[in-house]
Amino acid sequence: MKAIRVQHTGGPEVMELVEIPVPQPKPAEALVKINIAGVNSIDGHFRDGSLRTPLPFIPGQEGAGVVTAVGAQVKSLKVGDRVAWSGALRSYAEYVAAAEEHLVPVPRAITDEQAAAAMMHGLTAHYLVTDAHKLKAGETALVHAAAGGVGALVVQLAHAIGARVIGTASSAEKAKLAREAGADEVIIYTEQDFEAETKRLTGGKGVEVVYDGVGKATFEKNLNVMKLRGMLVIYGMSSGPVPPVDPAKLSEKGSLYMARTTLAHFTATREELLARTSALFGMIAEGKLKVRIAKKYPLAEAAQAHRDMEAHKLTGKLLLVP
Amino acid sequence: MKAIQIKQPGGPEAMELVDLPVPAPKANEAVVKLAASGVNFIDVYQREGRYKVPLPFVLGQEGAGTVTAVGGDVKSVRIGDRVAWTGVLGAYAEYAAVPEDRLVPIPAGVTDQQAAAAMLQGMTAHYLSHSTYPLKRGETALVHAGAGGVGLLLVQMAHNIGARVIATVSTEEKAKLAREAGADDVILYTQADFEAETKRLTGGKGVDVVYDSVGKTTFEKGLNILRPRGMLALYGGSSGAVPPFDPIVLTQKGSLFLTRPSLGNYIATREELASRAGAVFGMMAAGKLKLRIEHKYPLAEAQRAHRDLEGRKTTGKLLLIL
C-alpha cells in the first residue's frame, strides 16, 4: 500500500511517499481502508520533532474509511462497516490497523469527509463547550481564532447553546466566516486590541469564558477580559506555549479559573467517545453544525498540505485522499 | 471607646490599646457595639505591614454585635438589630462603623460570638465547597490542614454534602479533630507521604478536588493526586506562595483545572453575601456546623492572641471579647 513515512524529523519535505505492506490487524484491531485522512497541527508537531514518537513513523491522527478485516477479539465491528477515528498514528496511508476501541461508527447521513473532518476539531469543540466550561444560554464566550479549524466549530456550538459569542480573527475575510458561523461580534485583532474591545463589548463586565487555542500571545490579556470567577480554557498554542504562570494572578484578577486541556482526557472512556461523536454526527446530519473543508490533497501531496496548514492561509479542514 | 490601633507596623507589641471617639455613622453606615471580634491571619499580615494599610488604623476584619446608630440612608437595619460582618477594617474596638451593605442579620439560634467566628472562615468553607467546586455526593475531596480554622469547617460541609473526605493534618491530636468533624480518612503528613497515601486511599484514581490553603509545599503533589479533569482550589499559602508554574503541567497531569479564589470575590454582591451568610448561619442553628471557639481574649490582650495564633498552638477560632 501507499503511505507517507517520516524517517527523520524536519520540514514538510521529510514526508516521503513509500510502498509498504498492508498491516495485519492484531486480535483487538480492525483493518480499515482509509478513504479520507485529516491533517492537523499535531501532525506537524510530530513531523518536526516538537512532539516525539519513535522513528520512522507514518503520520496522521484521524480519518474515516471502511473495515476490511477484523481481529479475532473484535466484537462491535464487521467487514464493510464505515468507521472514523482520531488519536491514533498512521493515518496518512491507504490502510490502518486500529484498535477497536478507537473506532466509532459513521452514520449513513454523514460523508467520510465530514466524519474525518469532525473528529479532532469537532470533538475538541464539543468538549470545550460541554465540559471544559459548560456553556449556558445567556453567557458570553470569547473564542480566539474564531474562523480556525476548532474555533469556527466552537462558535457554532456556542451560538446553538444560546450564548453570546465574541470571536477574534486576523482578517476581514475570516471575520466574515466567524460571523457566518454565528459570532455576535468579531474583533479583528490585527487592527484592534482585543482586550479593550472585549471590555467595551461587554460594558466593562468581561466574559464568562475564554476559549483559547493561541497560547502565548493572548494569555496576559485573557486574564483581563474575564468576569469575576471567569474561566480560561487553553486548548492549544498556535503562537507558542504560555510562559510560567504565577497563580496569585488568578486571585488578583478576580478568583479566576484556568485549565490547560487536551482531547484525550475528554474521550478517555469508550462511552464518552461514543457519546461525543454521536452528538456531533447528529448535529452535522441535521445541518446544525457545518464543517468547512478547505482543500483536499492526494496522499502524495501531504507535504504541500503541511505547508499550507503552517502558512495559516486556508480556513477550514485540510484532508488527504489516499 | 477602647480600640487596638497600629501606629507603626511590627510585632504583636505594635498593637496599642487606645481611647478613641466612638465613630459617627456616615449616611450609608451603621454603628455597631461589638460583642466579639474575630482574630485572623490577615490581621497579622496587616499588623506586620505585609499587607499595606494607611496608618494609623484600628485592626480587625470581622465582628458581630448590636446596632446603636444608623446613617440617614440606611434602610435594612435598625437600632437594636444583631448583625455581623467581614471585610471591613476596625473590628478590634468597642464600636465600629460598617457600611449597611456589608452587614448581615444574625438569626436567633446563633450567638454573637458564633456569628463573629463564622464570618470569614465559615463563608470561606462555604464558597469553596458550594461555589468554587460545588461538591457532589459520592465525590472525593482532599482537604489540606483539615483541623485548621477553615479546614475543620470545610470537612464538616463536605461530609454533610455526602462527599468522601480525606484530610491532611500534622499531629495525632489534629487527626482526631478532623475525624470528629467527619473526615473519612486522615493523613498525618508528618509521617506519611500524602501523595502516595491519597493514591492508595483512592485506588489510584485520585480525588475530584483538592482544597489547598498550604500552597508552596503541597502544590505539585496536589496536582499528582487529582483525577483527570479534577480541580485544585488554592485558597491560601500558609507555607509560602506557589512559584510560577508551566501550564502545560496541567495538560500532562490530566487536563486539570486550577483556581486561586478569595472570599471577597464570592461575597461581592449584597445578594451573594446575604445568601452565603444565611446558609452558614442556617447550618449552625441546625447544629450541622460546629465551630470550635476555644480561645477568648479580652480586647486588652490582643497581643497575646496574636502570639498564640502565630505560634500555631491553637486549634479552632480565636475571638476578642468586648
Side-chain angles (χ1 to χ4, degrees):
Chain A
M1 69 168 187
K2 294 205 172 22
I4 296 292
R5 190 167 62 187
V6 173
Q7 298 269 22
H8 54 270
T9 56
E13 70 285 354
V14 302
M15 293 192 291
E16 295 176 277
L17 187 69
V18 295
E19 188 70 34
I20 55 172
V22 173
Q24 293 294 312
K26 295 191 185 117
E29 289 180 342
L31 182 66
V32 180
K33 181 177 188 314
I34 301 175
N35 291 332
I36 297 281
V39 178
N40 291 289
S41 53
I42 193 170
D43 303 341
H45 298 325
F46 279 114
R47 187 208 70 219
D48 68 20
S50 54
L51 290 174
R52 281 161 201 271
T53 194
L55 294 164
F57 69 95
I58 299 170
Q61 295 264 336
E62 78 182 338
V66 179
V67 173
T68 58
V70 294
Q73 291 167 14
V74 170
K75 293 204 178 78
S76 65
L77 296 168
K78 56 184 191 308
V79 172
D81 283 354
R82 294 176 62 220
V83 291
W85 63 92
S86 75
L89 273 172
R90 308 184 311 279
S91 300
Y92 287 8
E94 289 183 294
Y95 291 87
V96 67
E100 176 185 19
E101 61 180 13
H102 286 142
L103 297 171
V104 297
V106 177
R108 211 167 291 158
I110 304 292
T111 66
D112 286 338
E113 285 182 14
Q114 288 173 322
M119 291 303 287
M120 290 195 76
H121 288 173
L123 290 169
T124 298
H126 190 265
Y127 87 69
L128 288 173
V129 302
T130 59
D131 289 284
H133 172 85
K134 193 173 168 49
L135 196 61
K136 290 187 279 290
E139 289 188 330
T140 303
L142 178 69
V143 181
H144 284 298
V150 176
L153 300 178
V154 172
V155 170
Q156 290 177 66
L157 294 176
H159 176 73
I161 286 166
R164 182 183 182 206
V165 181
I166 303 174
T168 68
S170 60
S171 66
E173 184 200 346
K174 290 187 176 180
K176 186 164 171 283
L177 291 173
R179 279 209 186 80
E180 284 166 11
D184 298 279
E185 313 282 348
V186 181
I187 302 167
I188 301 178
Y189 65 83
T190 46
E191 294 170 13
Q192 287 178 304
D193 178 56
F194 84 81
E195 177 183 340
E197 270 301 284
T198 304
K199 283 181 179 164
R200 188 183 68 77
L201 290 166
T202 57
K205 282 187 192 163
V207 300
E208 271 87 3
V209 58
V210 177
Y211 295 115
D212 182 37
V214 178
K216 188 178 174 182
T218 47
F219 182 76
E220 287 290 332
K221 289 185 174 181
N222 282 340
L223 299 181
N224 296 328
V225 300
M226 282 182 276
K227 292 177 77 164
L228 282 190
R229 293 142 67 172
M231 168 76 79
L232 170 60
V233 186
I234 304 172
Y235 66 90
M237 47 181 189
S238 63
S239 68
V242 174
V245 176
D246 180 352
K249 266 199 183 153
L250 300 177
S251 178
E252 289 157 16
K253 306 274 185 180
S255 295
L256 302 177
Y257 297 82
M258 69 174 283
R260 176 67 182 84
T261 57
T262 194
L263 175 59
H265 296 124
F266 293 83
T267 52
T269 67
R270 178 76 183 157
E271 287 143 315
E272 192 167 23
L273 174 64
L274 288 177
R276 261 188 229 293
T277 46
S278 80
L280 276 177
F281 289 158
M283 284 185 275
I284 294 171
E286 290 169 31
K288 288 182 183 163
L289 185 69
K290 294 197 171 66
V291 291
R292 185 184 164 84
I293 312 293
K295 197 169 174 183
K296 288 190 283 181
Y297 303 78
L299 186 63
E301 292 176 22
Q304 187 57 44
H306 275 215
R307 282 184 201 105
D308 290 348
M309 172 178 74
E310 286 165 7
H312 295 288
K313 279 182 195 151
L314 300 174
T315 52
K317 188 74 192 177
L318 278 58
L319 297 173
L320 296 180
V321 185
Chain B
M1 67 167 190
K2 299 260 184 298
I4 297 291
Q5 198 179 49
I6 303 290
K7 291 178 179 143
Q8 281 303 319
E13 69 287 352
M15 294 191 286
E16 281 182 55
L17 185 68
V18 296
D19 256 306
L20 294 174
V22 172
K26 293 190 189 123
N28 67 329
E29 288 178 342
V31 170
V32 181
K33 182 177 193 309
L34 279 109
S37 175
V39 179
N40 293 292
F41 268 102
I42 189 172
D43 305 339
V44 174
Y45 302 149
Q46 291 181 333
R47 187 204 73 209
E48 290 173 334
R50 206 187 311 182
Y51 294 175
K52 301 272 180 246
V53 180
L55 298 165
F57 67 95
V58 175
L59 267 178
Q61 289 273 347
E62 78 183 335
T66 304
V67 174
T68 57
V70 293
D73 295 344
V74 169
K75 295 203 177 76
S76 63
V77 295
R78 290 176 313 188
I79 291 173
D81 284 357
R82 293 170 61 228
V83 292
W85 68 93
T86 185
V88 180
L89 256 182
Y92 285 14
E94 288 179 298
Y95 292 86
V98 183
E100 174 188 20
D101 67 359
R102 293 287 95 188
L103 291 171
V104 295
I106 304 172
V110 176
T111 67
D112 287 354
Q113 290 187 14
Q114 288 174 323
M119 289 303 287
L120 210 154
Q121 294 178 347
M123 290 202 294
T124 297
H126 188 271
Y127 85 70
L128 288 169
S129 56
H130 289 73
S131 301
T132 297
Y133 182 93
L135 261 177
K136 290 188 282 290
R137 167 178 294 276
E139 290 188 323
T140 303
L142 181 80
V143 178
H144 282 302
V150 175
L152 269 180
L153 304 180
L154 193 47
V155 169
Q156 291 178 69
M157 288 186 197
H159 175 76
N160 290 342
I161 287 167
R164 180 184 180 195
V165 182
I166 304 174
T168 70
V169 298
S170 58
T171 66
E172 289 287 358
E173 185 200 358
K174 289 186 176 180
K176 186 162 171 284
L177 290 175
R179 275 206 190 83
E180 283 166 8
D184 298 277
D185 296 285
V186 180
I187 301 168
L188 279 159
Y189 66 84
T190 45
Q191 296 171 18
D193 178 56
F194 84 81
E195 178 181 343
E197 269 301 281
T198 304
K199 282 182 178 164
R200 186 184 68 77
L201 289 166
T202 58
K205 281 187 189 165
V207 300
D208 297 281
V209 59
V210 173
Y211 295 113
D212 183 4
S213 61
V214 178
K216 191 175 175 181
T217 59
T218 48
F219 181 76
E220 282 276 340
K221 288 184 175 184
L223 297 178
N224 292 338
I225 55 168
L226 284 167
R227 65 159 166 85
R229 294 147 63 174
M231 181 174 293
L232 176 61
L234 180 66
Y235 69 95
S238 65
S239 69
V242 174
F245 73 100
D246 184 348
I248 200 71
V249 169
L250 300 177
T251 315
Q252 289 160 349
K253 303 205 177 204
S255 292
L256 302 178
F257 294 75
L258 170 70
T259 186
R260 179 72 180 80
S262 61
L263 177 60
N265 294 320
Y266 284 85
I267 51 170
T269 65
R270 172 70 197 165
E271 294 78 25
E272 193 167 21
L273 169 64
S275 74
R276 208 176 287 291
V280 173
F281 288 155
M283 291 175 188
M284 291 160 69
K288 288 180 181 160
L289 185 68
K290 294 201 171 62
L291 273 62
R292 292 171 58 86
I293 304 175
E294 297 206 334
H295 307 276
K296 298 182 196 179
Y297 306 81
L299 185 65
E301 293 182 27
Q303 293 187 4
R304 187 164 61 84
H306 274 217
R307 285 194 186 94
D308 290 352
L309 183 70
E310 291 174 79
R312 296 185 191 271
K313 286 175 200 155
T314 60
T315 58
K317 187 72 191 178
L318 281 67
L319 289 181
L320 301 179
I321 305 301
L322 282 309

